[in-house]
Amino acid sequence: MLLNTSTWPEVEAYLERCKGIIIPIGSFEQHGPNGLVGTDAICPEIIAHEAGQESGFLVGPTFNVGIAQHHLAFPGSMTLRPSTMIAAMNDWIASLVRHGFDRIYFFNGHGGNITTINAAFAEYYANYSLDDAPCPVRLAQQNWWELPGVMATCKKLFPVGEGAHATASEVSVTQYAYPDAIKRVEMDPKIAPNGRFTDAADYRATFPDGRIASDPSQATPEAGAEIVSIAKQALIAELSIFFETKLEAAAE
């Protein structure tokens, strides 16, 4: 069940059964010569959509621009300031809570978002703490690659050249989600260098094609399908516990 293709009476009926919602959250940044700019939003989105379809849990809109200032030397990349993201997330949370949601699960696709998501949660909870009132809302975040079984699957599929950014696994997931957008590109070196970076200029100078320690040329949509299948089941199991309910998907 997707919020953006639901009517308000359908959402009202859902809230009688479950107070939980999944929010895919990612980033809009370069992912090397063959990786899509939207990779970090696409990965949690496709996993959440398939999990929602199978379980009946409601999936909200994707928060698809995050903390990516270090990618801005590559055309197409976009970012929010941490303060902007914290404010926007709190407005999203407040809107959903107003309607009766009290379990909001942010399903993350970008490591650079983690600190800011936690800060947004702290900002929300502070409203109650400062008023000396108990908070009825529970917020959670999970990275898709940290769901049980996912990293082991990625390492099995790509034992060499998985890397740290523009990885073979995340590119595989996007190829599964958007097979018509697959890019075939020769990359040199085959496995990109590893290392650290500071700002956008330093990142571009250190990693000229955007990859870090990865060989995403080995990505396939079949590998992406396997990763999504494992992640989807793990996500449903985790949501059933967090939402304190189990739903069945609506009949087609």
Side-chain angles (χ1 to χ4, degrees), residues 107-123:
F107 189 44
N108 184 40
H110 175 53
N113 285 344
I114 296 170
T115 298
T116 304
I117 293 173
N118 282 329
F121 291 177
E123 180 84 13

Side-chain angles (χ1 to χ4, degrees), residues 221-245:
E222 292 77 19
E226 183 173 349
I227 294 166
V228 170
S229 178
I230 297 294
K232 171 181 66 174
Q233 295 305 324
L235 178 59
I236 292 170
E238 192 162 290
L239 291 171
S240 296
I241 295 169
F242 181 63
F243 292 167
E244 298 179 344
T245 188

Side-chain angles (χ1 to χ4, degrees), residues 1-236:
M1 186 175 177
L2 303 181
L3 183 58
N4 68 331
T5 56
S6 301
T7 64
W8 72 260
E10 289 174 324
V11 178
E12 191 170 68
Y14 172 86
L15 281 163
E16 294 177 359
R17 301 177 287 128
C18 180
K19 307 295 186 185
I21 187 169
I22 317 158
I23 304 293
I25 186 167
S27 184
F28 209 78
E29 63 190 49
Q30 67 81 23
H31 274 76
N34 76 332
L36 307 183
V37 172
T39 293
D40 283 351
I42 293 169
C43 290
E45 182 178 76
I46 187 65
I47 296 166
H49 283 194
E50 292 203 4
Q53 183 178 28
E54 183 166 322
S55 67
F57 290 129
L58 186 63
V59 182
T62 301
F63 196 113
N64 63 357
V65 177
I67 304 301
Q69 57 80 20
H70 48 289
H71 292 285
L72 288 179
F74 295 88
S77 299
M78 299 171 64
T79 195
L80 297 176
R81 295 177 184 273
S83 56
T84 305
M85 184 169 169
I86 290 167
M89 285 184 62
N90 272 268
D91 285 348
W92 282 40
I93 293 165
S95 298
L96 292 168
V97 170
R98 187 185 190 280
H99 302 305
F101 292 98
D102 63 12
R103 298 289 186 275
I104 304 175
Y105 183 100
F106 285 86
F107 189 44
N108 184 40
H110 175 53
N113 285 344
I114 296 170
T115 298
T116 304
I117 293 173
N118 282 329
F121 291 177
E123 180 84 13
Y124 186 81
Y125 290 136
N127 295 322
Y128 292 88
S129 298
L130 290 168
D131 288 340
D132 193 22
C135 180
V137 178
R138 289 178 60 196
L139 307 171
Q141 75 158 308
Q142 174 64 284
N143 304 314
W144 71 264
W145 62 89
E146 292 186 339
L147 287 168
V150 172
M151 189 56 69
T153 301
C154 295
K155 289 180 178 178
K156 177 198 74 174
L157 291 167
F158 307 110
V160 177
E162 165 69 349
H165 182 69
T167 66
S169 58
E170 62 185 341
V171 172
S172 292
V173 171
T174 65
Q175 289 183 353
Y176 165 71
Y178 292 97
D180 293 339
I182 294 174
K183 318 296 180 182
R184 305 295 183 191
V185 182
E186 283 286 329
M187 286 172 266
D188 184 32
K190 187 171 178 61
I191 298 178
N194 203 354
R196 297 181 178 275
F197 56 87
T198 54
D199 61 357
D202 182 53
Y203 190 115
R204 182 67 188 259
T206 307
F207 308 104
D209 72 0
R211 298 175 296 144
I212 301 179
S214 66
D215 172 20
S217 68
Q218 59 187 321
T220 68
E222 292 77 19
E226 183 173 349
I227 294 166
V228 170
S229 178
I230 297 294
K232 171 181 66 174
Q233 295 305 324
L235 178 59
I236 292 170

